[in-house]
Amino acid sequence: KIRGGYDYALLLFYQNLELSKQLDDTQEESVALSNIGVAYYNLKDYKKGIQYFIEANKVDALADHRSALLFANISLCYAFLNDLCNARVYIDESIRFCKGDCPIGVRTNIEYTLGLIAKIEKDYAVAERHFLSSYSLALASHQTRFQFDNIYLLTELFIEQKRFSTAVGYGLRRN
């Protein structure tokens, strides 16, 4: 059995996908594809996540309904695969698509992804700045998952820099 109930969630998402195709509802088809991508992302199967996010993007493009969040999610998967070239292409597309006016949830994701890319490149100052920005946005919008994800990666970042006292106390001081 897949951890976290993702097996059941994927079953429902695939059923939703089939139903939306039968009804020729491209908006629901895109949502189902995105949800499948998120499930695979959470299972750390980033290649499958990318596959479904890109398929959702194709459906959205046909309906002229593209999403900055979708580009950010694709970028995030590429970053976790250490494919920073593609990660940058998609995060830049997400930023360009927003035209400076992204919803807070998308900005949170973009900042988190930029932090991850910088962390992988060992540009620690830039990574810290983006993670702190993402963390602040997550606090403001009550996105608990992103709060914890940012704390986790900030802690990793501090450990990599041998800033142990900052790493140990970070979560306690921030909450």
Side-chain angles (χ1 to χ4, degrees):
K1 189 171 185 173
I2 299 176
R3 69 181 187 271
Y6 289 108
D7 52 347
Y8 184 64
L10 281 167
L11 174 70
L12 295 177
F13 294 150
Y14 280 117
Q15 288 174 350
N16 183 266
L17 176 60
E18 288 309 310
L19 182 59
S20 61
K21 284 181 178 181
Q22 290 171 12
L23 296 173
D24 199 30
D25 186 338
T26 55
Q27 186 173 359
E28 280 301 314
E29 182 179 348
S30 174
V31 168
L33 288 163
S34 292
N35 286 339
I36 293 168
V38 168
Y40 281 117
Y41 166 83
N42 284 314
L43 290 167
K44 300 185 186 312
D45 190 340
Y46 304 118
K47 287 181 182 179
K48 273 193 178 177
I50 290 168
Q51 174 188 337
Y52 284 96
F53 289 137
I54 287 176
E55 191 62 32
N57 187 45
K58 287 178 187 174
V59 170
D60 283 349
L62 292 174
D64 198 28
H65 178 268
R66 306 196 70 193
S67 164
L69 181 59
L70 199 51
F71 292 125
N73 284 337
I74 294 168
S75 176
L76 191 55
C77 286
Y78 275 120
F80 276 112
L81 288 170
N82 227 7
D83 183 345
L84 300 185
C85 181
N86 277 314
R88 285 198 179 283
V89 165
Y90 281 97
I91 203 64
D92 288 347
E93 185 66 15
S94 182
I95 293 165
R96 186 194 63 74
F97 188 82
C98 283
K99 298 177 185 156
D101 189 30
C102 284
I104 194 167
V106 177
R107 289 193 337 252
T108 305
N109 192 321
I110 288 170
E111 289 294 327
Y112 178 81
T113 304
L114 288 168
L116 180 62
I117 291 168
K119 180 181 177 294
I120 292 167
E121 293 175 333
K122 299 198 182 313
D123 190 343
Y124 296 129
V126 170
E128 183 175 349
R129 187 179 75 239
H130 285 297
F131 287 140
L132 289 172
S133 176
S134 178
Y135 179 76
S136 294
L137 291 165
L139 280 174
S141 58
H142 309 289
Q143 296 179 73
T144 306
R145 193 209 95 203
F146 265 116
Q147 291 172 34
F148 287 118
D149 286 352
N150 280 290
I151 289 169
Y152 176 79
L153 286 179
L154 279 163
T155 303
E156 268 192 354
L157 186 74
F158 298 142
I159 290 169
E160 286 178 25
Q161 297 174 79
K162 303 203 183 326
R163 293 168 57 191
F164 300 117
S165 61
T166 305
V168 169
Y170 190 78
L172 297 175
R173 286 195 303 266
R174 287 299 198 200
N175 290 322

